[in-house]
Amino acid sequence: MNRPEGGAMPRGARERRTAILQLADSSGLTSVDELSTAFGVTASTIRRDLAQLEAAGQLARTYGGAMPLRHEASVRQRNGEAAEAKQAIARWAAEQVRPDETILLDSGSTTTPSPASWRTAAT
């Protein structure tokens, strides 16, 4: 496990918790034992830190450790991202479908603009 950003040991609980969040974010999964060794504190201290960070909604606890929370963008946000490219994909896909063919579309922000393109291509 890497040391917290800057390499210096955090002195207080607030600094240690900030460093725990940074480590969890960079490594993806951290254990109580690794954190205890990295910060030179007891496992009980780390468990209290993790409980407080979880209660604040800043990370998710796992058996024996913690992992960062991954917040996915909302559907509305994803629909707006690369909208022109998604429209171009929909137009291209619509051109590939021949009359009397059946297609299946999975859900997702890239397939959202497709139905309008199907109607346009069919006429």
Side-chain angles (χ1 to χ4, degrees), residues 29-88:
L29 182 64
T30 58
S31 75
V32 169
D33 291 336
E34 290 172 332
L35 292 170
S36 175
T37 300
F39 295 113
V41 296
T42 66
S44 295
T45 298
I46 294 297
R47 285 189 198 94
R48 284 191 297 273
D49 288 339
L50 296 179
Q52 188 164 0
L53 291 168
E54 181 182 43
Q58 295 181 295
L59 59 71
R61 291 183 70 184
T62 63
Y63 182 78
M67 59 189 276
L69 293 176
R70 301 285 186 222
H71 298 287
E72 285 193 31
S74 71
V75 172
R76 181 172 290 167
Q77 287 174 309
R78 291 192 318 262
N79 282 341
E81 294 172 357
E84 288 181 32
K86 291 175 184 179
Q87 287 291 340

Side-chain angles (χ1 to χ4, degrees), residues 103-118:
I103 62 165
L104 297 173
L105 297 176
D106 198 355
S107 63
S109 64
T110 302
T111 58
T112 300
S114 298
S117 298
W118 304 135

Side-chain angles (χ1 to χ4, degrees), residues 5-20:
E5 229 174 76
M9 284 294 236
R11 295 178 189 260
R14 181 177 292 161
E15 291 173 332
R16 185 177 57 249
R17 290 180 189 127
T18 298
I20 289 170

